[in-house]
Amino acid sequence: MQISPSEDKTPVVGSPSSPQEAAEGLYFSDGKRKVDYVLVLHQRRNSSIRSHASAAVSHDRLSIVSNGNFPPSAGLDAAGGKIGSESLGEPARAGEVFMELGDAGEKESTEAADHEVRLIRQEFEASLLEAGLELERDKELKTYGPSFTRLHAPWPVLCREAEFLKIKVPTKTSYELKEESGFGSSMSTLWKKMNHPFQPKVPHQDQERTKFLTHCFSRDKLHLYNITSKDTFFDNATRARIVYEILRRTVCVRTCQTIGISTLIAKGVYDDAFPLHDGDYKVIGHLEEKSERQVLHNEWARYSAFYKYQPIDLVRKYFGEKIGLYFAWLGVYTQLLIPASIVGIIVFCYGVATVDSDVPSLEMCDERLNFTMCPLCDGACDFWQLSTACGTAKASHLFDNPATVFFAIFMSLWAVLFLEQWKRRQISLSFSWDLTGIEEDEEHPRPKYETILLQKRQRKQKTKKKKKKKKKNELDQTLSNTNGKLEKQEDGTVTGKDRWRQKLLSAMTAGIPAAIEKLTWKDRLPGYFINVSSVLFMFGLTFSAVFGVIIYRITVSALMAMSSDPDTKSNVRVTVTATAVIINLVVILILDEIYGAVALWLTELEIPKTETHFEERLILKAFLLKFMNAYAPIFYVAFFKGRFAGRPGSYVYVFNHYRMEECAPGGCLIELCIQLSIIMLGKQLIQNNIFEIGIPKLKKLVRALKDKGTAEKEIEEERPPKQWNLDYALAPFDGLTPEYMEMIIQFGFVSLFVASFPLAPLFALLNNVIEIRLDAKKFVTELRRPVAVRAKDIGIWYNILSGMGKFSVIINAFVISFTSDFIPRLVYQYMFSQTGTMHGFIDHTLSYFNVSNFKPGTAPHNLEQGTITFCRYKDYREPPWSPDAYTFSKQYWCVLAARLAFVILFQNLVMFLSLIVAWGIPDVPKTIVEQLKREKKLLVDVFLREEKEKFQLIQSLFSKSALHQPGRHEEHPGTGSQLPGRFSTLPPGPEQGLHGDWGGPRARCRAASFSQFSRNVPTSPKNGDENSRHTMV
């Protein structure tokens, strides 16, 4: 079907009209055409100091817009007025990139730069008009502040681009989704009634059981689509996406050889470009009168709606599939944290309930056993009693008990279950959002890639010119000095064999197409070198920060131990641990911000070609750096602290003066728990409250104070402010990488070291309930509306999650084996205990040391010889009276073998159970498979029916035309031939036999669409005579 071009192509310029929609800034000044996109030009103060003639030129250019091309010369024609009497500068030649916009100190260069940018802008907007878009600006020219160019895509442009982008739209055919029957139906009904209070109040939510068939848009099949209104058939997000696609591929060849609005924004031609929000988010009126933004704010972006499900379909409709998938993933992750939190609470309660009956804790707290421990530091520290660490032992049992092993296995399976559940949810959303079978959109190169590529091309051209000139000089010199090899005619042309060889070579090279210019690994080699060296340096910086905190703990412990205050001495471990963890947290938060900026800078140095490649490389670098930053202190406490401290009489020293720190008497697991909990909670609270709320508000306040004068002037001139002014004041959308990164790091806290902190899923759940509403509020009220981007999945984030899930199995196995006392207790109970119980376990884990073996200067100052002969320390070593004194004992090797065996057993068991879980949960739900088959069958029926109707109508049309032809002959119905061609494959109808005399000339009909004929035309002839003669089509 042919679509006539829009009759109203002239842009409307002037004051806004009276309709309320136009006053709100959602429509052009005529109140009819929607504003689909906005281009922003921020006039700088220095650019307003111009001559009278240049200001007049700018005024003419900005106030009148036509649908024609601008002439290539500098003296352009704008609304009948010639520009060229006073040139503002030399226009850029084709093939050049305007890299710098002049020297601000010189008026002439500034004028030339402004003129250059103005020429690029004029060519770009002329190209947009050629593409069919309609533009509108304000008549008044601002000398300072933002000025806006509004874009509108008329119906023909929307149809053309929707067909080009293969956008799926609903057809008139619909079907009811299959409902369960029997017991499943009753349970489903009961579940819906129970869930009803938690459902958001979204309009048209009752139509979820009816699904319309969708098909890629085609202008030839408009009659199949459910078009009730051309203005609302494509929603605002789709319209903005279509306009963005036009902006992205529009070329400025004559002025700067660039493609797309992103490049122009990078060059400073425009300040920004964005689609508009659907009016104000404040709710006014009844539910039917609310815009989508108001519904989202009321039912999703408020903290009071924390208990409700997310309106994911509406989020996807308003923000696009990519953002919709993020919030859907966050919702699935948060929902599955509920069972993990419940199990974690049960495990913690089990530790609380059994702490008073734990034999090792009771033995540590029993003062009658009188375990005299060796000093914690050299010289200043005295011997101490193990019973003083009673509180640490009981606290350690809360997290180090047999239930934590079960919880570690459960969380490893939970990670697999989460990924499988998300795959099912993702496929369900792909089906309901019509993402099945979509093709990847072709991406244009990034602005920086284009710029560097153009610079490379220019360097090659200069090199070729130099070489050509050099060869010409050499040839001239050869011709002048050589006699007899080349013959010269009177006119100076070269003859002989060389002349014919040159002609042949030039003819051969003329037929070879020029190679497509691109950046190679040689162009990126400096960036790769800087990337590798910078990442290694950042790793070194992270390890240095961790080592610095270790030195802090060692020195503060030694200083507090030398204090004369008994209270200070008794609280050494608590004070040092708490302050060190807080310092670690502050360092992590600071380095997080630094690493984010460094990852962005390093990715720019790699010069990725497309935004997808840029985003993937940025994610990998940022994740690697932030992962190392967040978990390095935790890895140290879990696997390195106390492992290399040595033993009494042979300690390991740092800087030849400070002893390496040891674990607490109750083990390192309690310190790991403290470290993990403070870093996790502090990171979530500070990042959520300060970085995500405070910093954006502070930036907004600074921006408001900066533009205070301009804002006051605009408020005086126009009230209320337009929607584009309100949206321009919002923060730009910078992508979903920070949001995903925060959740991925949290997923690591929940899965990697969960054996040491069973309450981690609970705190993650509480954080995510707030995080969902916080992110929703930010997207609805504080950020500009992003362009709706199609996406089939969450991309590289799924691979990172899958890798962390597998890595968590290994980490939890080593935490249980080497950090906790679970394996030593099992070995003691089943190999060394006389009674088969845990009685005597503490004495079994403590070795003896003869105080006379202290090195000079390391013994306690108040050591009384004869009173204490032996002190105890935690290790498996031979006693001093053994022939192999202080070497590792038999028990040590037994425990080590059991630990390694448990690691292997745990990994294989969890991996096997994970495979069973993944195998038992199909990726594609059965209902989705059935609905896909049903939709495919219905679509085939629809198009087959259309072809039949089209054929019968064309057949009826020619039958009627044949009745009016003179000299026609009657044919007997028994003879005829089947119609060849495109309709020969159709099943024969009741009247499909074709008859006639094929010897005469055949009438040929032009290609027609069924939509061009009236629906009232009968599909079959009224009598037999009308079908007696047919013409082959």
Side-chain angles (χ1 to χ4, degrees):
M1 177 180 178
Q2 288 285 46
I3 302 175
S4 60
S6 177
E7 296 178 1
D8 188 7
K9 280 275 190 169
T10 306
V12 180
V13 181
S15 58
S17 58
S18 58
Q20 183 180 358
E21 294 86 357
E24 292 175 354
L26 298 177
Y27 289 79
F28 275 17
S29 56
D30 58 0
K32 297 178 181 179
R33 291 174 291 174
K34 288 184 178 179
V35 177
D36 297 321
Y37 223 87
V38 174
L39 305 179
V40 186
L41 168 65
H42 196 91
Q43 299 286 352
R44 307 292 189 251
R45 288 188 182 275
N46 54 0
S47 62
S48 62
I49 308 174
R50 300 183 183 135
S51 62
H52 179 73
S54 62
V57 169
S58 178
H59 183 277
D60 291 338
R61 285 291 181 186
L62 292 176
S63 60
I64 303 295
V65 181
S66 69
N67 275 328
N69 286 327
F70 291 107
S73 62
L76 300 174
D77 198 8
K82 295 287 183 180
I83 303 175
S85 58
E86 295 185 28
S87 178
L88 299 179
E90 191 69 24
R93 294 184 297 272
E96 293 183 352
V97 177
F98 192 78
M99 296 301 298
E100 297 180 0
L101 301 181
D103 186 6
E106 298 180 3
K107 182 177 179 181
E108 291 78 7
S109 59
T110 304
E111 295 285 345
D114 291 341
H115 179 62
E116 192 78 28
V117 169
R118 199 155 49 246
L119 286 177
I120 298 174
R121 193 181 308 123
Q122 289 165 1
E123 182 187 358
F124 182 73
E125 293 181 1
S127 301
L128 295 181
L129 291 168
E130 283 185 359
L133 296 181
E134 298 176 4
L135 280 65
E136 180 188 66
R137 300 190 196 90
D138 294 331
K139 181 178 291 185
E140 298 81 7
L141 174 65
K142 295 182 179 179
T143 57
Y144 172 70
S147 59
F148 302 91
T149 301
R150 279 89 66 188
L151 305 179
H152 168 76
W155 173 253
V157 175
L158 294 174
C159 294
R160 181 193 71 209
E161 297 298 324
E163 183 174 357
F164 174 72
L165 296 173
K166 297 181 180 180
I167 295 176
K168 290 189 175 182
V169 294
T171 63
K172 294 179 181 178
T173 306
S174 63
Y175 66 95
E176 295 291 330
L177 298 180
K178 185 179 179 181
E179 295 185 1
E180 298 179 359
S181 57
F183 179 74
S185 176
S186 59
M187 291 300 296
S188 178
T189 304
L190 178 62
W191 179 252
K192 286 182 179 179
K193 288 182 179 179
M194 293 175 60
N195 263 345
H196 184 71
F198 305 103
Q199 296 294 336
K201 297 178 182 178
V202 179
H204 312 297
Q205 198 174 13
D206 53 346
Q207 300 178 0
E208 58 182 7
R209 299 302 307 172
T210 302
K211 192 175 190 304
F212 285 88
L213 289 180
T214 58
H215 187 260
C216 293
F217 187 86
S218 175
R219 287 173 286 182
D220 295 333
K221 302 184 185 300
L222 289 180
H223 58 282
L224 295 178
Y225 307 129
N226 191 17
I227 304 177
T228 57
S229 172
K230 293 181 179 180
D231 295 332
T232 59
F233 181 68
F234 295 105
D235 56 32
N236 293 341
T238 305
R239 296 174 68 99
R241 179 182 160 219
I242 288 174
V243 175
Y244 175 72
E245 290 295 330
I246 298 175
L247 292 172
R248 195 177 68 168
R249 68 170 186 261
T250 302
V251 184
C252 293
V253 179
R254 192 177 68 246
T255 53
C256 60
Q257 279 197 351
T258 56
I259 301 176
I261 186 64
S262 301
T263 308
L264 296 183
I265 292 175
K267 291 178 181 297
V269 178
Y270 290 99
D271 187 61
D272 213 330
F274 53 87
L276 294 180
H277 278 292
D278 292 351
D280 195 3
Y281 62 84
K282 296 179 181 178
V283 178
I284 300 175
H286 301 288
L287 187 64
E288 290 76 15
E289 300 176 357
K290 292 179 183 177
S291 65
E292 292 178 351
R293 188 185 188 192
Q294 291 171 343
V295 174
L296 287 174
H297 179 262
N298 196 35
E299 298 295 328
W300 180 54
R302 298 173 65 180
Y303 294 109
S304 58
F306 73 94
Y307 62 93
K308 292 185 178 182
Y309 289 100
Q310 298 183 85
I312 292 296
D313 291 333
L314 187 58
V315 173
R316 170 253 177 181
K317 182 181 178 184
Y318 191 82
F319 292 108
E321 286 81 4
K322 193 171 185 178
I323 295 176
L325 283 174
Y326 163 70
F327 282 103
W329 172 83
L330 185 56
V332 172
Y333 173 47
T334 304
Q335 287 178 0
L336 287 181
L337 280 174
I338 296 176
S341 302
I342 294 174
V343 176
I345 293 173
I346 293 174
V347 170
F348 180 75
C349 292
Y350 171 81
V352 173
T354 58
V355 67
D356 292 331
S357 60
D358 181 54
V359 175
S361 299
L362 294 176
E363 288 184 351
M364 285 187 66
C365 296
D366 192 355
E367 297 181 0
R368 295 171 296 178
L369 295 177
N370 193 23
F371 292 115
T372 303
M373 306 298 293
C374 295
L376 296 176
C377 64
D378 294 340
C381 299
D382 198 0
F383 299 103
W384 57 285
Q385 299 296 318
L386 183 61
S387 59
T388 58
C390 177
T392 305
K394 289 186 175 181
S396 179
H397 178 74
L398 298 178
F399 305 101
D400 187 5
N401 55 69
T404 56
V405 180
F406 161 76
F407 188 61
I409 297 175
F410 171 81
M411 288 303 296
S412 299
L413 297 178
W414 173 88
V416 178
L417 180 66
F418 163 59
L419 294 176
E420 293 297 322
Q421 178 66 19
W422 168 243
K423 279 198 290 188
R424 288 173 59 87
R425 174 67 169 157
Q426 186 172 264
I427 291 175
S428 300
L429 291 176
S430 297
F431 171 73
S432 62
W433 293 352
D434 299 315
L435 298 176
T436 53
I438 67 169
E439 299 177 358
E440 295 292 337
D441 294 335
E442 182 183 358
E443 290 192 78
H444 294 289
R446 299 181 66 248
K448 186 168 183 179
Y449 181 89
E450 279 188 329
T451 302
I452 296 178
L453 183 62
L454 198 52
Q455 290 175 348
K456 178 183 177 181
R457 191 180 298 124
Q458 289 174 348
R459 286 195 301 267
K460 280 191 174 183
Q461 289 176 355
K462 290 181 180 179
T463 306
K464 286 181 180 180
K465 288 180 180 179
K466 289 181 180 179
K467 288 182 178 180
K468 190 175 181 181
K469 187 176 181 181
K470 186 177 180 181
K471 286 183 178 180
K472 186 178 179 182
N473 294 334
E474 290 177 356
L475 182 60
D476 293 340
Q477 187 177 1
T478 304
L479 288 174
S480 61
N481 297 332
T482 306
N483 295 322
K485 292 184 179 180
L486 292 176
E487 300 177 1
K488 275 198 170 185
Q489 295 180 348
E490 294 180 358
D491 56 355
T493 58
V494 180
T495 60
K497 294 181 180 180
D498 289 344
R499 184 187 65 179
W500 296 107
R501 187 181 294 111
Q502 290 173 5
K503 287 186 176 181
L504 180 61
L505 290 175
S506 62
M508 292 174 62
T509 55
I512 301 175
I516 299 175
E517 198 76 31
K518 62 180 182 180
L519 297 182
T520 61
W521 64 271
K522 294 181 180 179
D523 301 311
R524 296 187 171 97
L525 186 60
Y528 291 152
F529 177 77
I530 297 175
N531 265 264
V532 173
S533 56
S534 299
V535 169
L536 293 177
F537 173 76
M538 294 301 162
F539 283 175
L541 181 62
T542 301
F543 295 146
S544 300
V546 174
F547 185 72
V549 175
I550 295 172
I551 298 300
Y552 164 81
R553 294 164 66 110
I554 294 173
T555 53
V556 172
S557 298
L559 291 175
M560 293 183 68
M562 289 185 285
S563 175
S564 58
D565 187 6
D567 293 334
T568 304
K569 284 187 175 182
S570 61
N571 296 322
V572 169
R573 288 193 178 273
V574 177
T575 305
V576 170
T577 301
T579 55
V581 172
I582 292 174
I583 293 173
N584 264 327
L585 175 62
V586 174
V587 171
I588 287 172
L589 293 176
I590 294 174
L591 290 181
D592 250 358
E593 299 302 311
I594 296 174
Y595 288 167
V598 169
L600 183 63
W601 173 66
L602 292 177
T603 310
E604 289 283 359
L605 291 179
E606 287 188 22
I607 323 172
K609 183 175 181 180
T610 62
E611 286 294 340
T612 301
H613 293 160
F614 179 84
E615 186 178 3
E616 289 180 353
R617 297 182 185 186
L618 174 62
I619 288 170
L620 285 177
K621 287 185 191 62
F623 172 74
L624 193 62
L625 293 174
K626 293 191 176 187
F627 180 88
M628 187 65 65
N629 179 43
Y631 296 112
I634 301 175
F635 270 96
Y636 164 73
V637 174
F639 302 121
F640 297 100
K641 185 179 180 181
R643 310 287 175 190
F644 311 102
R647 61 170 179 83
S650 180
Y651 284 113
V652 177
Y653 292 88
V654 180
F655 302 132
N656 297 323
H657 184 67
Y658 298 105
R659 263 171 51 179
M660 286 293 293
E661 57 181 346
E662 303 175 63
C663 291
C668 280
L669 194 71
I670 184 63
E671 294 189 37
L672 177 62
C673 174
I674 295 172
Q675 186 100 2
L676 182 65
S677 59
I678 292 180
I679 291 178
M680 179 181 177
L681 296 178
K683 205 170 186 307
Q684 290 179 351
L685 292 175
I686 294 176
Q687 282 190 338
N688 286 352
N689 294 320
I690 296 180
F691 292 169
E692 291 197 22
I693 299 177
I695 292 181
K697 289 187 178 297
L698 184 62
K699 289 181 178 179
K700 188 176 180 180
L701 179 62
V702 171
R703 190 166 57 247
L705 294 175
K706 189 176 180 181
D707 299 336
K708 186 176 180 181
T710 308
E712 290 178 354
K713 188 175 181 181
E714 289 178 355
I715 291 174
E716 292 177 0
E717 292 177 355
E718 52 177 350
R719 292 178 181 175
K722 301 295 186 296
Q723 187 63 41
W724 49 81
N725 293 103
L726 297 175
D727 286 4
Y728 182 64
L730 300 176
F733 173 67
D734 293 328
L736 291 170
T737 301
E739 315 300 334
Y740 272 115
M741 188 66 68
E742 181 183 349
M743 290 296 104
I744 294 296
I745 296 298
Q746 184 202 84
F747 180 78
F749 286 126
V750 169
S751 59
L752 291 181
F753 297 95
V754 72
S756 63
F757 189 41
L759 296 179
L762 175 64
F763 290 111
L765 174 64
L766 297 176
N767 173 79
N768 287 6
V769 170
I770 301 174
E771 180 73 19
I772 290 176
R773 308 303 162 179
L774 178 66
D775 287 345
K777 187 178 180 64
K778 181 169 63 176
F779 273 88
V780 174
T781 64
E782 298 177 3
L783 294 179
R784 295 175 192 162
R785 186 175 187 172
V787 179
V789 179
R790 285 195 303 181
K792 294 186 292 185
D793 48 42
I794 60 175
I796 196 174
W797 295 111
Y798 181 84
N799 299 330
I800 294 176
L801 284 169
S802 179
M804 291 185 70
K806 293 178 174 61
F807 189 48
S808 67
V809 178
I810 302 173
I811 294 299
N812 282 304
F814 276 93
V815 167
I816 294 172
S817 297
F818 289 90
T819 309
S820 73
D821 285 338
F822 176 73
I823 299 300
R825 292 184 184 189
L826 284 181
V827 172
Y828 172 76
Q829 185 175 0
Y830 293 104
M831 291 186 64
F832 299 103
S833 176
Q834 299 295 330
T835 60
T837 62
M838 292 303 298
H839 291 284
F841 173 72
I842 297 298
D843 183 60
H844 175 76
T845 58
L846 298 178
S847 299
Y848 287 90
F849 178 75
N850 193 333
V851 296
S852 61
N853 295 332
F854 274 120
K855 288 184 179 181
T858 60
H861 296 316
N862 54 354
L863 176 63
E864 299 177 5
Q865 297 293 338
T867 306
I868 299 177
T869 308
F870 298 101
C871 64
R872 310 291 294 271
Y873 62 99
K874 190 172 182 179
D875 204 348
Y876 291 100
R877 293 182 180 269
E878 295 290 342
W881 54 83
S882 172
D884 301 323
Y886 305 126
T887 59
F888 288 117
S889 63
K890 172 187 173 183
Q891 291 87 345
Y892 172 82
W893 300 110
C894 291
V895 170
L896 180 62
R899 282 172 166 168
L900 295 175
F902 178 82
V903 169
I904 297 173
L905 177 65
F906 183 89
Q907 290 183 28
N908 287 277
L909 175 64
V910 173
M911 291 297 182
F912 175 72
L913 295 177
S914 301
L915 290 175
I916 293 178
V917 171
W919 174 79
I921 302 176
D923 293 343
V924 184
K926 185 179 179 180
T927 55
I928 300 298
V929 176
E930 294 176 353
Q931 290 178 22
L932 283 172
K933 292 180 180 178
R934 187 177 180 186
E935 284 198 1
K936 187 176 181 180
K937 180 178 180 299
L938 288 174
L939 275 177
V940 171
D941 293 341
V942 167
F943 288 112
L944 189 60
R945 191 184 314 118
E946 183 202 8
E947 292 295 325
K948 285 183 178 180
E949 291 178 355
K950 187 188 300 184
F951 169 71
Q952 290 174 355
L953 283 174
I954 297 175
Q955 177 181 339
S956 174
L957 177 66
F958 285 109
S959 298
K960 289 183 178 181
S961 63
L963 292 175
H964 298 83
Q965 294 179 4
R968 68 178 181 87
H969 302 281
E970 295 291 336
E971 297 288 342
H972 296 286
T975 61
S977 60
Q978 188 177 3
L979 176 66
R982 60 179 293 196
F983 298 110
S984 59
T985 58
L986 293 174
E991 304 177 26
Q992 198 174 338
L994 300 181
H995 317 280
D997 184 9
W998 303 105
R1002 303 186 183 99
R1004 185 172 181 85
C1005 177
R1006 65 180 179 88
S1009 174
F1010 172 65
S1011 58
Q1012 293 176 333
F1013 300 101
S1014 172
R1015 291 281 183 179
N1016 298 326
V1017 178
T1019 58
S1020 60
K1022 293 183 180 179
N1023 49 56
D1025 294 336
E1026 292 179 352
N1027 197 25
S1028 59
R1029 184 177 179 87
H1030 298 275
T1031 304
M1032 188 188 306
V1033 179

